[in-house]
Amino acid sequence: MSKQPVVVIGAGVIGLTVANQLQEDGKYAVTIVAEHVPDSLPAGTRESSGWASPWAGAHWRAWSANWDHWLQDMELQTYHSMNEIADRVPESGIKKAQGLDYFEALPDGETPWYVSKINNVRELPTSELPMGIIYGLEYSTVLINVPQYLAYLKNKFTGMGGIIEQRALDHIEEALLFDATSRNEPSGKTPIVVNCAALGNRMLGGVCDASMRPVRGQTLIVNSPDAKRTLTRLGSQFGYVIPRGDGTVVLGGSAEAGSWDEEEDMKTTQQILQRTQALEPSLLPSSMLELDESERVRALRANIISVGVGFRPMRDGGVRLETQEYVDSVSGKPFTVVHCYGHAGYGYQSSLGYARKVHQMIESV
């Protein structure tokens, strides 16, 4: 029986995860078409800011609000799946670690929904809370070494026979030109298109989604091999520390809606250094803990490997997850598109949940 061709637009974490989910099923012949794909870049080459995934932290820390049961489900599915991957596939770049969330205030005065859903949760007593924090939560989570994980997803996909075409599309119907089955024995089936083009959907013909907007994020990668846990401070002094498991650590962050500025903001860099060295003392050797703040900041600055700027794909109204019918302007034939984009800053931590949902939607087409 011939396979159903599927074309996935986009090779960020959502596109790659969806493509793997479908290719692994065995009933689909999947092609990814994307302007940007995970590759080993030559020394000194900067990753393009045209896609968000390479610039992420990343770790699992719940983004969803207490009332958002849909996103909670997507995140929780991903949490459990990534814990399994960490156990089974060490080369994936996913590692288990301790997570710590500090809250300057609790949304709606309620404790976070995930307190009762994830592993090894401990609510911190007041004696362990830093100044300005009213609530703290310790729990087991996962760290995601982004370059390693994207390479793992890409290699897993191509290892199962999936095809990747590095092309920029002007219109969504151009995806139909990349039917993997047409290279061998034509299936005679019209491809199903999965749109995971993120911010690319602002200009992609046939979509042109004006509700998509960038949220600029600036991060630092530092050499801090003693830092093992991931910490996030939520509130006016927002900041985070995310070890990659290889001795390097991602420090953040910022969130500037609507900004397309690709250049480092020196003031933001200084702010990140000040906040994160206070958040996690182990970023510096213990011998430096007696230094004053300005000296600790200078010491941490000396460990900077690189400064990154990326653009989270925010969508007003949340993720677009729906099926839409199109008609090919060339052949006049109808084709189906499953849209799955607009994951803002929670793409990694919800990716496996969304991939399963897309799979279910395609099964019913």
Side-chain angles (χ1 to χ4, degrees):
M1 182 177 177
S2 60
K3 295 183 178 183
Q4 168 65 50
V6 176
V7 179
V8 176
I9 304 174
V13 68
I14 298 297
L16 284 168
T17 307
V18 167
N20 271 281
Q21 176 82 20
L22 296 172
Q23 188 72 16
E24 198 166 22
D25 180 287
K27 297 195 295 287
Y28 304 101
V30 184
T31 301
I32 294 173
V33 182
E35 181 177 2
H36 306 287
V37 300
D39 274 314
S40 297
L41 298 175
T45 303
R46 186 175 185 272
E47 183 63 76
S48 170
S49 59
W51 59 321
S53 289
W55 301 99
H59 59 171
W60 190 97
R61 190 195 68 77
W63 179 289
S64 51
N66 282 5
W67 53 264
D68 192 346
H69 301 296
W70 169 268
L71 183 53
Q72 290 173 19
D73 182 41
M74 297 297 100
E75 291 186 321
L76 201 55
Q77 287 188 48
T78 305
Y79 175 82
H80 291 302
S81 294
M82 284 190 167
N83 270 277
E84 291 175 4
I85 294 171
D87 287 334
R88 293 186 294 102
V89 194
E91 66 272 19
S92 66
I94 298 179
K95 297 180 183 293
K96 292 182 176 181
Q98 182 187 71
L100 192 57
D101 294 348
Y102 290 131
F103 293 81
E104 294 177 13
L106 286 173
D108 301 319
E110 299 177 349
T111 56
W113 65 269
Y114 52 97
V115 168
S116 61
K117 302 292 185 180
I118 59 177
N119 300 331
N120 302 316
V121 172
R122 182 175 75 95
E123 294 178 296
L124 301 183
T126 304
S127 60
E128 295 183 30
L129 299 180
M131 186 177 298
I133 299 300
I134 68 162
Y135 181 80
L137 195 65
E138 184 181 82
Y139 55 96
S140 294
T141 187
V142 292
L143 308 173
I144 305 161
N145 184 318
V146 164
Q148 191 174 346
Y149 186 57
L150 291 176
Y152 160 74
L153 290 174
K154 175 190 172 185
N155 294 335
K156 181 183 176 186
F157 174 67
T158 56
M160 292 187 293
I163 296 171
I164 298 178
E165 295 280 357
Q166 189 166 5
R167 305 282 181 86
L169 302 183
D170 294 320
H171 196 284
I172 197 165
E173 67 181 27
E174 294 174 17
L176 299 176
L177 301 173
F178 298 93
D179 175 358
T181 63
S182 66
R183 302 173 185 225
N184 302 304
E185 183 178 345
S187 67
K189 299 175 181 178
T190 302
I192 297 170
V193 176
V194 184
N195 174 18
C196 303
L199 282 171
N201 283 299
R202 295 172 66 255
M203 304 298 292
L204 182 63
V207 183
C208 294
D209 191 338
S211 64
M212 289 298 300
R213 56 191 175 92
V215 177
R216 181 184 181 276
Q218 182 169 313
T219 58
L220 315 177
I221 297 180
V222 299
N223 181 41
S224 294
D226 292 336
K228 305 297 183 185
R229 59 183 184 173
T230 178
L231 301 92
T232 305
R233 177 169 176 148
L234 298 140
S236 62
Q237 300 296 305
F238 173 64
Y240 55 80
V241 174
I242 307 176
R244 281 185 162 175
D246 60 0
T248 64
V249 181
V250 181
L251 307 180
S254 66
E256 302 149 61
S259 173
W260 286 105
D261 186 0
E262 297 182 18
E263 298 303 316
E264 175 187 2
D265 181 87
M266 298 302 294
K267 184 177 179 181
T268 300
T269 294
Q270 180 70 7
Q271 184 181 79
I272 291 171
L273 291 169
Q274 290 173 332
R275 291 179 179 179
T276 55
Q277 63 83 26
L279 189 61
E280 178 55 289
S282 68
L283 287 170
L284 293 170
S286 58
S287 59
M288 293 185 175
L289 295 183
E290 299 303 317
L291 300 176
D292 64 30
E293 180 186 358
S294 62
E295 291 174 319
R296 291 197 304 272
V297 168
R298 278 198 299 272
L300 188 55
R301 181 184 290 276
N303 290 341
I304 294 176
I305 298 169
S306 63
V307 179
V309 175
F311 303 98
R312 303 174 184 95
M314 177 71 77
R315 183 172 183 272
D316 296 334
V319 173
R320 184 181 184 188
L321 183 67
E322 63 179 348
T323 300
Q324 185 177 4
E325 300 301 322
Y326 285 78
V327 175
D328 181 8
S329 63
V330 176
S331 68
K333 294 181 178 179
F335 67 99
T336 300
V337 174
V338 177
H339 297 287
C340 184
Y341 65 85
H343 297 79
Y346 51 88
Y348 281 88
Q349 66 204 55
S350 64
S351 56
L352 287 151
Y354 274 104
R356 292 191 186 106
K357 186 60 181 176
V358 169
H359 191 180
Q360 292 170 5
M361 293 168 71
I362 287 178
E363 291 277 270
S364 64
V365 169

